[in-house]
Amino acid sequence: MNKPKKVAILTAGGLAPCLNSAIGSLIERYTEIDPSIEIICYRSGYKGLLLGDSYAVTPEVRAKASLLHRFGGSVIGNSRVKLTNVKDCVKRGLVQEGEDPQKVAADQLVKDGVDVLHTIGGDDTNTAAADLAAFLAQNNYGLTVIGLPKTVDNDVFPIKQSLGAWTAAEQGARYFWNVVAENNANPRMLIVHEVMGRSCGWLTAATAVEYRKMLDRAEWLPELGLSRESYEVHGVFIPEMAIDIAAEAARLRAVMDKVDCVNIFVSEGAGVESIVAEMQAKGQEVPRDAFGHVKLDAVNPGKWFGDQFAQMLGAEKTLVQKSGYFARASASNAEDVRLIKSCADLAVECALRREAGVIGHDDDNNFVLRAIEFPRIKGGKPFNIDTPWFTQTLAEIGQPKGAKVSVGH
């Protein structure tokens, strides 16, 4: 097929520390390879596509695209829109009653003269992209969709490492470095650090590891109460690992008695099934988003864990802090920028030869960086609790490893 004359970029779903860098990297690479290829960016993800609302990438924008690497978020905007959820699209005024959102999106791409659509998002975004790609193919639209995988959860099958996850772990660790000092604001303090991760504990585990690296680099003065023990991670709780609340309470009670505080890292998806069951038993409505996911900010897992442990540990005060918004809105770190640029470079190559798919290191093909076929993309990839660095972390903090738990998505 002929090279594209015009490409479009959109970001969608929640934020991750890679979106601006991915946008910037795509613009930079197209400008290097062939500046005659036009670029537009749809505002607010699939919402902008449905409404035909976009930015033109002018020569001035191309010249300053590198600025995007310095900022977090997505300058072109995000939204949570599922093209196959017709009822929600109608309710939000994105399509008219009786219209098919996929057809509206496809027709808008044709109207805008777009040959290649780059989607930057997580499993929901790329599932939506897969649905759109299939619709385009079945209806002979002749358009190519190429996805880039972002999610702080790092839970996309079959992608080894999603964009932004390394940065989110690093930033979550930085966040907790300040929060943990609250342990000396009150005797017998329980601090719960809630980390993002709906059905995958990778980010919680990785954040704990990054934070403990900071502890390794610090100097201590235990003679005046400045001890690593009071700054340490005392427990890590993730969806993929069973939790014996009573046994953990007994172990953590001994820590509290010794160092006068307990710090635990909790994945926001850990314990959700128990929380939802409690809410339903009380006749309470469980809020869900357009994709059917439980709204985790509404069920508040961190508070639930704090409530479960506080009395059993004899905590005088419980502090629950969430690092999610701080971590996910960061600019990409150097490690992520390298990954983003390599993925963006391949995405442009694929666009030139009109090869569809999601760009990533393929778990099932010797981790080769390639355009992974859309039908193989799905969310909910669990974190392997037998990963050596996680096993070592649990051993070092004295936490027994729980049994593996099958996690729904």
Side-chain angles (χ1 to χ4, degrees), residues 8 10 30 46 49 83 106 109 114-120 125-137 141-148 347 350-351 354-359 371-374:
L10 67 77
Y30 273 112
Y46 288 109
L49 173 54
L83 298 180
L109 289 166
V114 172
D115 301 306
V116 173
L117 174 64
H118 290 283
T119 61
I120 309 167
T125 299
N126 285 307
T127 299
D131 292 337
L132 179 58
F135 180 89
L136 293 169
Y141 275 86
L143 298 168
T144 304
V145 182
I146 301 172
L148 289 174
C350 290
R354 305 298 286 274
E355 180 182 355
V358 179
I359 307 300
I372 300 170
E373 299 78 9
F374 273 114

Side-chain angles (χ1 to χ4, degrees), residues 338-395:
R338 285 194 295 271
L339 177 62
I340 292 163
K341 283 183 174 291
S342 64
C343 290
D345 286 353
L346 181 56
V348 173
E349 288 181 31
C350 290
L352 294 177
R353 59 178 179 258
R354 305 298 286 274
E355 180 182 355
V358 179
I359 307 300
H361 293 88
D362 192 337
D363 280 344
D364 301 328
N365 287 280
N366 298 314
F367 308 114
V368 173
L369 183 62
R370 57 186 298 272
I372 300 170
E373 299 78 9
F374 273 114
R376 296 176 55 215
I377 300 295
K378 62 179 181 177
K381 183 176 78 171
F383 172 60
N384 180 9
I385 66 171
D386 293 327
T387 300
W389 56 261
F390 182 62
T391 298
Q392 180 180 346
T393 297
L394 293 182

Side-chain angles (χ1 to χ4, degrees), residues 45-218:
Y46 288 109
K47 175 183 178 181
L49 173 54
L50 290 172
L51 298 177
D53 185 12
S54 64
Y55 292 99
V57 177
T58 63
E60 291 76 18
V61 172
R62 291 175 188 261
K64 293 187 175 182
S66 63
L67 289 176
L68 298 182
H69 297 298
R70 305 178 192 176
F71 292 87
S74 170
V75 292
I76 61 176
N78 279 24
S79 63
R80 292 187 180 274
V81 175
K82 187 174 184 179
L83 298 180
T84 54
N85 189 337
V86 179
K87 184 178 180 180
D88 183 64
C89 289
V90 171
K91 179 181 177 181
R92 295 165 70 170
L94 302 178
V95 299
Q96 299 299 312
E97 192 74 48
E99 287 185 320
D100 179 351
Q102 288 189 315
K103 187 175 188 308
V104 172
D107 290 342
Q108 187 63 52
L109 289 166
V110 172
K111 180 179 178 181
D112 290 336
V114 172
D115 301 306
V116 173
L117 174 64
H118 290 283
T119 61
I120 309 167
D123 60 288
D124 287 333
T125 299
N126 285 307
T127 299
D131 292 337
L132 179 58
F135 180 89
L136 293 169
Q138 290 165 5
N139 293 276
N140 300 312
Y141 275 86
L143 298 168
T144 304
V145 182
I146 301 172
L148 289 174
K150 72 87 200 165
T151 170
V152 298
D153 296 354
N154 196 27
D155 66 341
V156 180
F157 283 108
I159 292 171
K160 180 182 180 182
Q161 185 70 32
S162 60
L163 311 183
W166 282 325
T167 304
E170 179 183 87
Q171 291 295 318
R174 286 188 56 213
Y175 175 91
F176 193 70
W177 181 260
N178 280 7
V179 170
V180 73
E182 289 288 336
N183 62 25
N184 50 44
N186 203 83
R188 300 189 71 84
M189 174 75 86
L190 169 61
I191 301 180
V192 180
H193 179 195
E194 184 179 315
V195 183
M196 282 188 165
R198 175 178 297 279
S199 55
C200 178
W202 181 90
L203 182 58
T204 303
T207 302
V209 168
E210 290 299 317
Y211 172 71
R212 297 190 75 244
K213 289 178 183 177
M214 297 176 72
L215 298 183
D216 290 341
R217 296 191 293 267

